[in-house]
Amino acid sequence: MQLQLYNSLTRKTEVFVPIDPEQRVVTFYSCGPTVYDFAHIGNFRAFLNADVLRRTLESIGYSVNQVMNITDVGHMTDDDVADGGGEDKMEVASTRLAEAKKSGTLPKETDVDPTDPLAVAEYYASAFIDDSKALGMKIVSDVEENQDLMPRPTQYISHMIEMVRLLIEKEHAYVAQDGAVYFDVQSFPAYGRLSGNTMEKLRSGEGGRVDMETQKIKRNPADFMLWKPDPNHLMRWESPWGEGYPGWHIECSSMATVLLGDVVDIHSGGEDNIFPHHECEIAQSCCATGRDSFANYWFHTRFLLVDGGKMSKSKGNFYTLRDLVSKGATPAAIRLELIRTHYRSNANFTFQGLKDSQRQIDRWRRLATWLCTHTDVKVNETPLQDALERFITSMCDDLNIAGAIGILSEAVGLYSIDCNPDEGDGPSTFGDELKALHDMDAILGVIELEDEVCIKNLDVSKIESLIEARLDARTNKEWARADELRDELCALGIEIKDGPEGTSWSRVVQ
């Protein structure tokens, strides 16, 4: 089965062919977080879509070598311009934590020295890894075996300096009057191909805000910084161009080429990375290596809205994973809510959608539990096995996840799990059906996701036992007992609804 994938560079859906099709190994570089705060759900939407792409590749027989950076230096607050401007985000994090510690608002459990930016970075990096593990991102299990798969830029400064030196030697970069090193975009005619930014637009400032003072010392307004000499910067290193720090873009180019090679199969990120970050990565990487390509396929996730609007702390609709878990949501429901809208469409996060995602997962899990108790029973009908190929085919159609979920839900709906099954005489068993369900979930990653950061884990047998006891109490008109059992279910975070077809239940998201 072949994967059809939209390529942001060519703006076309293409058949995915890896660099080494015979070995069936895919090199995959994902732009990760800048660890100056807890990652929010908008960040995680892009990371999770990359995880779903990886899982889809693995489901059709590829081995995926994925690298995701954790940026701990050089990413500036004004990152919509190629140079970057404002403050280093790690300095902002250090200042914020220092102020919180001084005012007494820093949580007691936050054991971090706010004056040490590397300690601050490690604090938020550890939090990100914990959150990623809770959300079932496969890169985390890789990192347990190989720490290099989530590299920190501060560990690759020497490689960045060497790449900058090489770009200067090849006359793709120059040292300006202020001592900073800039990439000469006119030396790379393909600059702007990914983002659609023409040189005319960039000269007029349409590609982002233009600092007029900086433009006076550059050959071209679109030239971007590779190294900034600054002896007063909080995080700085010695270099041939003075003590200072690297530009944000050179970090990913350096780490990707060191860890994955001059050309990678897939490069992913959010759509906000397209310009300037990914555009600049392509230019400096191709010029440094002499290769025609840096990544053969570019995969970008569109923005996440919350209740139809932009996520903002001032609006009170800014959420991290931890915020949602504290409201009773499970990581599995959060994962499904963030991936169930196609990655090339804006997604709209709502609490009702989160509840719907949880109900869907609970329905799938109840079937999985039921199948598990009847694994040896032979069956004549195999709806899940019949759905598996169509499910994967849908995912191979540029990750058509809505279609895949529809196929799975239709197959699950053909089961009635309220009674013991009749023995069939076919060659398949419910164990085979359970495997098909797990094979589909190997891409979705929600049915077996451990709710390690959730206070109340799901105990299906206990819940259904309480519901059955409540129904018996109602049948016997033991109303007080029935109310006690409802309260016990509520205490477990379970909402029940009585209807003409019986009692249904779902988790409560507060």
Side-chain angles (χ1 to χ4, degrees):
M1 198 172 294
Q2 289 185 311
L3 172 67
Q4 302 274 342
L5 190 66
Y6 182 83
N7 189 345
S8 299
L9 184 65
T10 62
R11 297 170 181 78
K12 295 188 298 184
T13 301
E14 304 172 358
V15 175
F16 174 75
V17 180
I19 294 169
D20 189 349
E22 291 188 3
Q23 293 296 318
R24 295 189 69 79
V25 175
V26 176
T27 52
F28 189 173
Y29 187 86
S30 298
C31 271
T34 299
V35 283
Y36 75 112
D37 205 343
F38 297 109
H40 57 69
I41 57 174
N43 301 139
F44 272 115
R45 183 178 188 233
F47 304 148
L48 288 171
N49 274 315
D51 185 67
V52 169
L53 173 57
R54 171 186 171 159
R55 288 166 175 261
T56 300
L57 286 163
E58 291 175 340
S59 75
I60 57 175
Y62 288 105
S63 175
V64 180
N65 185 10
Q66 185 182 12
V67 169
M68 174 183 280
N69 67 294
I70 293 183
T71 298
D72 58 359
V73 67
H75 189 173
M76 313 305 282
T77 52
D78 296 339
D79 57 8
D80 61 341
V81 290
D83 278 349
E87 301 174 86
D88 188 309
K89 289 188 174 183
M90 291 314 306
E91 289 199 11
V92 172
S94 295
T95 301
R96 184 178 61 243
L97 286 179
E99 291 175 349
K101 185 174 184 178
K102 184 177 180 180
S103 65
T105 58
L106 189 68
K108 293 180 180 179
E109 64 272 17
T110 306
D111 184 21
V112 58
D113 178 3
T115 65
D116 181 353
L118 289 177
V120 173
E122 186 55 38
Y123 169 70
Y124 286 121
S126 296
F128 174 74
I129 291 172
D130 288 344
D131 290 351
S132 300
K133 183 177 181 181
L135 289 169
M137 285 170 51
K138 298 196 75 174
I139 183 71
V140 180
S141 57
D142 294 343
V143 172
E144 292 175 354
E145 301 294 327
N146 183 358
Q147 292 291 323
D148 289 340
L149 297 181
M150 272 186 157
R152 273 62 156 181
T154 50
Q155 300 168 352
Y156 288 80
I157 298 295
S158 63
H159 299 283
M160 297 174 206
I161 290 173
E162 176 57 24
M163 182 172 276
V164 173
R165 187 199 61 76
L166 187 61
L167 288 169
I168 294 174
E169 180 181 295
K170 292 185 173 185
E171 299 185 346
H172 290 293
Y174 59 92
V175 181
Q177 293 176 3
D178 64 348
V181 183
Y182 292 95
F183 182 88
D184 183 355
V185 298
Q186 290 184 314
S187 73
F188 185 66
Y191 189 78
R193 182 186 173 198
L194 178 69
S195 63
N197 279 324
T198 63
M199 292 306 298
E200 288 72 22
K201 287 181 180 179
L202 293 169
R203 288 191 188 98
S204 65
E206 290 181 29
R209 294 188 301 277
V210 176
D211 179 347
M212 298 309 298
E213 289 301 316
T214 302
Q215 303 317 313
K216 294 177 183 178
I217 62 173
K218 297 198 293 185
R219 295 176 183 174
N220 188 293
D223 293 350
F224 58 89
M225 189 185 74
L226 300 175
W227 186 270
K228 177 74 170 179
D230 185 350
N232 299 315
H233 198 73
L234 186 61
M235 302 173 77
R236 57 189 185 273
W237 295 263
E238 290 290 344
S239 83
W241 316 283
E243 192 177 34
Y245 60 94
W248 173 33
H249 318 301
I250 198 71
E251 298 174 358
C252 284
S253 289
S254 176
M255 291 184 291
T257 53
V258 168
L259 295 171
L260 295 175
D262 290 351
V263 184
V264 299
D265 286 303
I266 303 172
H267 196 312
S268 72
E271 67 172 326
D272 56 323
N273 290 142
I274 294 175
F275 186 87
H277 188 46
H278 289 167
E279 192 76 79
C280 295
E281 278 188 63
I282 292 171
Q284 63 201 7
S285 299
C286 290
C287 290
T289 65
R291 306 293 291 271
D292 293 332
S293 176
F294 173 44
N296 290 338
Y297 299 86
W298 288 85
F299 177 86
H300 291 104
T301 294
R302 295 204 66 184
F303 290 119
L304 177 73
L305 305 176
V306 176
D307 292 325
K310 186 177 180 180
M311 187 164 51
S312 167
K313 289 183 178 179
S314 62
K315 293 180 180 178
N317 65 351
F318 182 96
Y319 301 113
T320 66
L321 170 68
R322 294 159 190 238
D323 293 332
L324 297 178
V325 167
S326 70
K327 293 178 180 292
T330 68
I334 296 167
R335 178 184 171 97
L336 183 59
E337 180 65 7
L338 293 178
I339 67 174
R340 67 175 182 164
T341 299
H342 193 266
Y343 74 94
R344 285 198 290 120
S345 298
N346 286 333
N348 185 34
F349 177 89
T350 66
F351 279 90
Q352 182 57 52
L354 191 58
K355 290 180 180 179
D356 294 341
S357 291
Q358 185 64 67
R359 290 190 182 99
Q360 199 156 37
I361 293 168
D362 289 341
R363 182 171 173 241
W364 296 339
R365 280 178 170 168
R366 286 197 293 273
L367 176 59
T369 300
W370 186 83
L371 291 171
C372 194
T373 61
H374 303 95
T375 53
D376 295 331
V377 176
K378 292 184 177 181
V379 293
N380 295 324
E381 303 295 331
T382 56
L384 292 170
Q385 293 172 76
D386 297 341
L388 178 58
E389 184 175 349
R390 292 186 295 121
F391 179 96
I392 296 177
T393 298
S394 182
M395 292 303 301
C396 284
D397 180 15
D398 193 30
L399 305 192
N400 179 9
I401 195 163
I405 289 173
I407 290 166
L408 171 57
S409 294
E410 181 183 11
V412 171
L414 296 176
Y415 273 96
S416 175
I417 62 174
D418 297 327
C419 55
N420 290 327
D422 295 327
E423 181 79 30
D425 56 7
S428 289
T429 66
F430 280 126
D432 298 322
E433 284 287 273
L434 180 63
K435 182 181 183 303
L437 179 59
H438 284 172
D439 286 346
M440 286 183 272
D441 185 56
I443 294 177
L444 297 177
V446 295
I447 296 176
E448 292 190 333
L449 186 60
E450 300 256 342
D451 298 337
E452 293 185 357
V453 298
C454 186
I455 297 173
K456 305 179 185 72
N457 289 313
L458 185 67
D459 185 339
V460 175
S461 60
K462 181 177 181 180
I463 291 166
E464 294 186 341
S465 176
L466 289 170
I467 289 174
E468 185 177 353
R470 177 178 172 272
L471 289 175
D472 289 342
R474 286 167 59 87
T475 299
N476 297 326
K477 297 184 179 182
E478 298 173 354
W479 308 118
R481 177 57 179 158
D483 289 343
E484 288 175 2
L485 290 165
R486 176 187 282 275
D487 291 342
E488 189 172 348
L489 287 162
C490 287
L492 293 171
I494 301 300
E495 178 182 67
I496 59 174
K497 290 185 179 180
D498 298 312
E501 297 181 357
T503 300
S504 61
W505 61 272
S506 62
R507 293 194 184 187
V508 176
V509 179
Q510 299 172 352

